[in-house]
Protein backbone atom coordinates (compact mmCIF):
# COMPACT_ATOMS: atom_id res chain seq x y z
CA UNK A 1 0.00 0.00 0.00
CA UNK A 2 1.28 3.47 -0.79
CA UNK A 3 2.15 5.77 2.06
CA UNK A 4 -0.84 7.85 3.21
CA UNK A 5 -1.17 11.39 2.03
CA UNK A 6 -0.28 14.19 4.36
CA UNK A 7 -3.20 15.17 6.56
CA UNK A 8 -3.78 18.92 6.24
CA UNK A 9 -3.60 20.95 9.45
CA UNK A 10 -6.92 21.81 11.01
CA UNK A 11 -8.15 25.25 11.72
CA UNK A 12 -10.63 25.86 14.51
CA UNK A 13 -12.03 28.82 12.61
CA UNK A 14 -12.72 26.63 9.60
CA UNK A 15 -14.54 23.94 11.56
CA UNK A 16 -18.07 23.64 10.14
CA UNK A 17 -21.00 23.85 12.52
CA UNK A 18 -23.07 20.68 12.80
CA UNK A 19 -26.39 19.87 14.40
CA UNK A 20 -25.42 17.85 17.46
CA UNK A 21 -28.99 17.41 18.72
CA UNK A 22 -29.39 13.85 19.97
CA UNK A 23 -25.93 12.81 18.76
CA UNK A 24 -23.16 12.41 21.31
CA UNK A 25 -20.35 11.67 18.90
CA UNK A 26 -19.91 11.79 15.14
CA UNK A 27 -17.14 10.76 12.76
CA UNK A 28 -16.86 11.97 9.19
CA UNK A 29 -14.60 10.17 6.69
CA UNK A 30 -12.46 9.00 9.60
CA UNK A 31 -9.34 7.19 8.43
CA UNK A 32 -6.30 5.95 10.34
CA UNK A 33 -2.88 4.74 9.32
CA UNK A 34 -0.09 3.18 11.36
CA UNK A 35 2.87 4.01 9.18
CA UNK A 36 1.91 2.91 5.66
CA UNK A 37 -0.75 0.47 6.89
CA UNK A 38 -4.30 1.76 6.73
CA UNK A 39 -6.51 0.36 9.50
CA UNK A 40 -9.61 2.59 9.16
CA UNK A 41 -11.07 3.90 5.93
CA UNK A 42 -13.71 6.64 5.62
CA UNK A 43 -15.73 5.69 8.70
CA UNK A 44 -18.83 7.82 9.10
CA UNK A 45 -20.70 7.08 12.32
CA UNK A 46 -23.25 9.01 14.40
CA UNK A 47 -23.54 7.70 17.96
CA UNK A 48 -26.83 8.55 19.74
CA UNK A 49 -26.52 10.07 23.18
CA UNK A 50 -27.43 8.16 26.35
CA UNK A 51 -27.59 4.87 24.52
CA UNK A 52 -25.34 1.82 24.28
CA UNK A 53 -23.81 1.33 20.85
CA UNK A 54 -21.95 -1.93 20.20
CA UNK A 55 -19.03 -2.16 17.79
CA UNK A 56 -18.85 -5.64 16.32
CA UNK A 57 -16.68 -7.29 13.69
CA UNK A 58 -13.94 -9.87 13.29
CA UNK A 59 -10.56 -9.50 14.95
CA UNK A 60 -8.47 -6.92 13.14
CA UNK A 61 -11.45 -5.04 11.75
CA UNK A 62 -10.43 -1.77 13.45
CA UNK A 63 -12.81 -1.66 16.41
CA UNK A 64 -10.22 -0.83 19.07
CA UNK A 65 -8.38 1.52 16.71
CA UNK A 66 -11.64 3.39 16.18
CA UNK A 67 -12.13 3.79 19.92
CA UNK A 68 -8.59 5.11 20.28
CA UNK A 69 -9.29 7.76 17.65
CA UNK A 70 -12.28 9.09 19.53
CA UNK A 71 -10.30 10.46 22.48
CA UNK A 72 -7.00 10.79 20.62
CA UNK A 73 -5.16 7.95 22.30
CA UNK A 74 -3.54 7.31 18.93
CA UNK A 75 -1.65 10.56 19.51
CA UNK A 76 0.62 8.45 21.72
CA UNK A 77 1.67 6.28 18.74
CA UNK A 78 4.47 7.96 16.80
CA UNK A 79 3.61 6.70 13.31
CA UNK A 80 -0.17 7.06 13.62
CA UNK A 81 -1.90 9.44 11.22
CA UNK A 82 -5.58 10.39 11.36
CA UNK A 83 -7.67 11.82 8.55
CA UNK A 84 -11.28 13.00 8.57
CA UNK A 85 -13.05 14.45 11.57
CA UNK A 86 -14.32 13.44 14.99
CA UNK A 87 -16.94 15.56 16.73
CA UNK A 88 -17.82 15.30 20.40
CA UNK A 89 -21.10 17.16 20.56
CA UNK A 90 -20.32 20.04 18.22
CA UNK A 91 -16.61 20.19 19.03
CA UNK A 92 -13.98 19.04 16.54
CA UNK A 93 -11.79 16.71 18.60
CA UNK A 94 -8.80 17.31 16.32
CA UNK A 95 -9.07 21.08 15.95
CA UNK A 96 -5.88 23.01 16.71
CA UNK A 97 -7.31 24.60 19.83
CA UNK A 98 -8.79 21.40 21.31
CA UNK A 99 -7.24 20.56 24.69
CA UNK A 100 -6.52 16.83 24.65
CA UNK A 101 -6.72 16.42 28.43
CA UNK A 102 -10.16 18.04 28.41
CA UNK A 103 -11.26 15.79 25.53
CA UNK A 104 -10.17 12.73 27.51
CA UNK A 105 -12.15 13.95 30.49
CA UNK A 106 -15.24 14.17 28.31
CA UNK A 107 -14.53 10.86 26.56
CA UNK A 108 -13.29 8.26 29.03
CA UNK A 109 -11.98 4.81 28.14
CA UNK A 110 -11.95 1.42 29.86
CA UNK A 111 -9.65 -1.23 28.46
CA UNK A 112 -10.03 -4.98 28.09
CA UNK A 113 -7.63 -5.72 30.94
CA UNK A 114 -8.20 -3.79 34.18
CA UNK A 115 -5.39 -1.32 34.78
CA UNK A 116 -5.64 -0.06 38.36
CA UNK A 117 -2.75 2.10 39.48
CA UNK A 118 -0.47 0.78 42.27
CA UNK A 119 -2.26 3.09 44.70
CA UNK A 120 -5.01 2.75 47.25
CA UNK A 121 -8.59 2.14 46.18
CA UNK A 122 -9.46 5.70 47.18
CA UNK A 123 -6.52 7.27 45.35
CA UNK A 124 -7.25 5.32 42.17
CA UNK A 125 -10.69 6.90 41.94
CA UNK A 126 -9.44 10.32 43.08
CA UNK A 127 -6.54 10.35 40.61
CA UNK A 128 -8.37 12.02 37.75
CA UNK A 129 -10.10 14.47 40.06
CA UNK A 130 -6.74 15.61 41.43
CA UNK A 131 -5.35 15.80 37.90
CA UNK A 132 -8.10 18.27 37.02
CA UNK A 133 -7.41 20.39 40.07
CA UNK A 134 -9.75 19.17 42.80
CA UNK A 135 -7.93 19.31 46.13
CA UNK A 136 -10.58 19.74 48.83
CA UNK A 137 -10.58 16.49 50.83
CA UNK A 138 -14.28 16.41 51.66
CA UNK A 139 -15.32 16.96 48.06
CA UNK A 140 -12.80 14.38 46.89
CA UNK A 141 -14.21 11.84 49.34
CA UNK A 142 -17.78 12.56 48.24
CA UNK A 143 -16.92 12.19 44.57
CA UNK A 144 -15.00 8.95 45.21
CA UNK A 145 -17.95 7.53 47.14
CA UNK A 146 -20.42 8.52 44.43
CA UNK A 147 -18.29 6.91 41.70
CA UNK A 148 -17.88 3.68 43.64
CA UNK A 149 -21.62 3.54 44.33
CA UNK A 150 -22.31 4.07 40.63
CA UNK A 151 -20.49 0.81 39.85
CA UNK A 152 -21.94 -1.06 42.87
CA UNK A 153 -18.53 -1.34 44.50
CA UNK A 154 -18.92 0.93 47.52
CA UNK A 155 -20.40 -1.65 49.88
CA UNK A 156 -17.56 -4.06 49.06
CA UNK A 157 -14.68 -1.64 49.67
CA UNK A 158 -15.94 1.13 51.96
CA UNK A 159 -14.09 -0.32 54.96
CA UNK A 160 -10.77 -0.66 53.12
CA UNK A 161 -10.39 2.38 50.92
CA UNK A 162 -6.74 2.66 51.95
CA UNK A 163 -5.92 -0.88 50.78
CA UNK A 164 -4.10 -1.40 47.52
CA UNK A 165 -6.34 -1.58 44.46
CA UNK A 166 -4.14 -4.43 43.24
CA UNK A 167 -5.58 -6.65 45.98
CA UNK A 168 -9.06 -6.53 44.46
CA UNK A 169 -10.47 -9.37 42.37
CA UNK A 170 -10.46 -9.06 38.59
CA UNK A 171 -14.13 -8.09 38.47
CA UNK A 172 -13.68 -5.55 41.25
CA UNK A 173 -10.67 -4.05 39.49
CA UNK A 174 -12.68 -3.59 36.32
CA UNK A 175 -15.47 -1.85 38.21
CA UNK A 176 -12.83 0.26 39.97
CA UNK A 177 -11.33 1.54 36.73
CA UNK A 178 -14.82 2.36 35.49
CA UNK A 179 -15.39 4.29 38.72
CA UNK A 180 -12.09 6.09 38.10
CA UNK A 181 -13.36 7.11 34.66
CA UNK A 182 -16.80 8.11 35.99
CA UNK A 183 -15.38 10.27 38.78
CA UNK A 184 -14.49 13.04 36.32
CA UNK A 185 -18.03 12.88 34.89
CA UNK A 186 -17.41 11.98 31.24
CA UNK A 187 -20.13 12.47 28.67
CA UNK A 188 -19.06 9.36 26.76
CA UNK A 189 -17.53 6.10 27.97
CA UNK A 190 -15.58 3.89 25.57
CA UNK A 191 -15.39 0.23 26.61
CA UNK A 192 -13.00 -2.15 24.86
CA UNK A 193 -14.21 -5.71 25.62
CA UNK A 194 -14.42 -4.91 29.34
CA UNK A 195 -16.09 -8.21 30.34
CA UNK A 196 -14.06 -10.61 28.22
CA UNK A 197 -12.44 -12.31 31.24
CA UNK A 198 -15.58 -12.51 33.38
CA UNK A 199 -17.47 -15.67 34.28
CA UNK A 200 -21.19 -15.81 33.31
CA UNK A 201 -22.45 -14.52 36.66
CA UNK A 202 -20.02 -11.59 36.69
CA UNK A 203 -20.85 -10.85 33.06
CA UNK A 204 -24.57 -10.62 33.88
CA UNK A 205 -23.90 -8.21 36.76
CA UNK A 206 -21.65 -6.16 34.50
CA UNK A 207 -24.29 -5.91 31.78
CA UNK A 208 -26.79 -4.69 34.37
CA UNK A 209 -24.24 -2.03 35.31
CA UNK A 210 -23.97 -0.90 31.68
CA UNK A 211 -27.71 -0.28 31.53
CA UNK A 212 -27.50 1.80 34.70
CA UNK A 213 -24.61 3.85 33.33
CA UNK A 214 -26.40 4.52 30.04
CA UNK A 215 -29.14 6.39 31.86
CA UNK A 216 -26.79 9.36 32.22
CA UNK A 217 -24.13 8.97 29.55
CA UNK A 218 -23.30 7.51 26.17
CA UNK A 219 -21.58 4.12 25.98
CA UNK A 220 -19.65 2.74 23.03
CA UNK A 221 -18.85 -0.94 23.58
CA UNK A 222 -16.50 -3.19 21.64
CA UNK A 223 -17.44 -6.84 22.06
CA UNK A 224 -16.76 -10.12 20.27
CA UNK A 225 -19.72 -11.68 22.06
CA UNK A 226 -22.69 -11.46 19.70
CA UNK A 227 -25.14 -12.54 22.39
CA UNK A 228 -23.86 -9.76 24.63
CA UNK A 229 -24.15 -7.18 21.87
CA UNK A 230 -27.73 -8.28 21.21
CA UNK A 231 -28.61 -8.17 24.92
CA UNK A 232 -27.16 -4.86 26.00
CA UNK A 233 -26.93 -2.51 23.04
CA UNK A 234 -29.49 -0.16 21.54
CA UNK A 235 -27.51 0.31 18.34
CA UNK A 236 -24.80 -1.70 16.62
CA UNK A 237 -22.11 -0.96 14.07
CA UNK A 238 -20.47 -3.71 12.03
CA UNK A 239 -16.89 -3.09 10.93
CA UNK A 240 -14.88 -5.19 8.51
CA UNK A 241 -11.35 -4.54 7.26
CA UNK A 242 -11.42 -1.01 8.65
CA UNK A 243 -14.68 -0.01 7.00
CA UNK A 244 -18.11 0.56 8.45
CA UNK A 245 -20.32 -1.95 6.66
CA UNK A 246 -23.60 -1.33 8.45
CA UNK A 247 -25.04 0.67 11.34
CA UNK A 248 -28.53 0.60 12.80
CA UNK A 249 -30.67 -0.24 15.77
CA UNK A 250 -29.58 -3.56 17.24
CA UNK A 251 -32.83 -5.45 16.72
CA UNK A 252 -32.94 -4.61 13.01
CA UNK A 253 -29.26 -5.22 12.41
CA UNK A 254 -29.34 -8.64 14.09
CA UNK A 255 -32.65 -9.87 12.72
CA UNK A 256 -32.81 -8.21 9.31
CA UNK A 257 -29.38 -6.90 8.26
CA UNK A 258 -29.25 -4.96 5.02
CA UNK A 259 -25.83 -6.26 3.99
CA UNK A 260 -25.00 -9.89 3.23
CA UNK A 261 -21.59 -9.41 4.85
CA UNK A 262 -23.27 -8.42 8.12
CA UNK A 263 -25.56 -11.44 8.02
CA UNK A 264 -22.64 -13.79 7.35
CA UNK A 265 -20.76 -12.47 10.37
CA UNK A 266 -23.70 -12.50 12.76
CA UNK A 267 -24.66 -16.04 11.78
CA UNK A 268 -21.13 -17.30 12.22
CA UNK A 269 -20.26 -17.99 8.58
CA UNK A 270 -16.95 -16.20 9.17
CA UNK A 271 -15.10 -14.17 11.80
Amino acid sequence: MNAPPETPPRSAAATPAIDASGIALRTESLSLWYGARQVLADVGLAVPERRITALIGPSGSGKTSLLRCLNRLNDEIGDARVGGRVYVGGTDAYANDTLVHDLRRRVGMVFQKPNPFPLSIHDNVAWGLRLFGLRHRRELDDRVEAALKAVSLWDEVAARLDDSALDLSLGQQQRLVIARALAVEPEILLLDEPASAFDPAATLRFEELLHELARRRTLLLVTHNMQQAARVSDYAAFLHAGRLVEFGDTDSLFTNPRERQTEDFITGRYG
Side-chain angles (χ1 to χ4, degrees):
M1 180 180 293
N2 294 331
E6 291 293 328
T7 303
R10 299 170 186 268
S11 168
T15 299
I18 62 170
D19 179 10
S21 176
I23 299 298
L25 184 148
R26 183 193 307 271
T27 70
E28 295 180 357
S29 301
L30 179 63
S31 298
L32 172 67
W33 295 264
Y34 294 134
R37 181 171 64 94
Q38 187 168 10
V39 293
L40 293 174
D42 297 320
V43 175
L45 181 66
V47 179
E49 64 182 4
R50 297 190 182 184
R51 296 291 187 271
I52 302 174
T53 298
L55 293 180
I56 61 174
S59 296
S61 60
K63 301 183 298 297
T64 296
S65 294
L66 174 57
L67 288 191
R68 294 178 63 89
C69 285
L70 302 180
N71 66 352
R72 293 184 56 172
L73 280 179
N74 283 316
D75 287 10
E76 313 301 325
I77 301 175
D79 64 349
R81 186 192 305 275
V82 176
R85 295 188 180 274
V86 175
Y87 295 98
V88 177
T91 302
D92 184 346
Y94 284 84
N96 290 339
D97 62 348
T98 295
L99 300 177
V100 176
H101 71 277
D102 183 60
L103 174 69
R104 291 176 182 166
R105 181 196 63 77
R106 297 176 64 190
V107 186
M109 185 159 179
V110 175
F111 299 92
Q112 180 176 4
K113 183 179 179 181
N115 60 339
F117 301 143
L119 303 169
S120 70
I121 294 169
H122 177 280
D123 287 349
N124 261 270
V125 182
W127 182 84
L129 296 169
R130 291 190 172 111
L131 182 67
F132 288 105
L134 183 59
R135 295 288 183 268
H136 191 273
R137 178 71 190 200
R138 179 62 180 272
E139 187 174 356
L140 272 173
D141 290 348
D142 288 346
R143 296 278 289 272
V144 167
E145 180 178 346
L148 289 170
K149 285 181 174 177
V151 298
S152 302
L153 191 56
W154 174 254
D155 291 342
E156 299 171 34
V157 302
R160 52 189 182 116
L161 292 177
D162 293 329
D163 291 357
S164 172
L166 302 180
D167 293 335
L168 296 173
S169 70
L170 181 67
Q172 289 174 324
Q173 288 184 10
Q174 192 65 293
R175 283 184 285 155
L176 178 70
V177 298
I178 294 175
R180 187 173 68 201
L182 293 179
V184 297
E185 299 182 347
E187 302 164 27
I188 301 165
L189 196 58
L190 312 175
L191 301 129
D192 189 8
E193 294 193 80
S196 61
F198 289 0
D199 61 36
T203 297
L204 180 60
R205 290 195 297 271
F206 188 77
E207 291 175 1
E208 292 171 350
L209 169 62
L210 295 183
H211 286 295
E212 288 295 320
L213 296 178
R215 292 181 179 181
R216 297 186 58 188
R217 57 188 49 82
T218 303
L219 273 58
L220 195 56
L221 170 71
V222 167
T223 179
H224 279 99
N225 185 324
M226 293 300 95
Q227 291 78 22
Q228 181 176 78
R231 285 193 303 265
V232 305
S233 67
D234 304 290
Y235 295 88
F238 172 55
L239 276 75
H240 184 268
R243 295 185 178 276
L244 178 64
V245 176
E246 186 167 350
F247 173 77
D249 70 89
T250 299
D251 287 344
S252 297
L253 189 142
F254 272 77
T255 61
N256 188 29
R258 298 187 302 273
E259 303 294 333
R260 176 64 180 269
Q261 200 171 28
T262 308
E263 181 180 0
D264 287 348
F265 178 75
I266 290 172
T267 57
R269 291 192 180 99
Y270 75 92

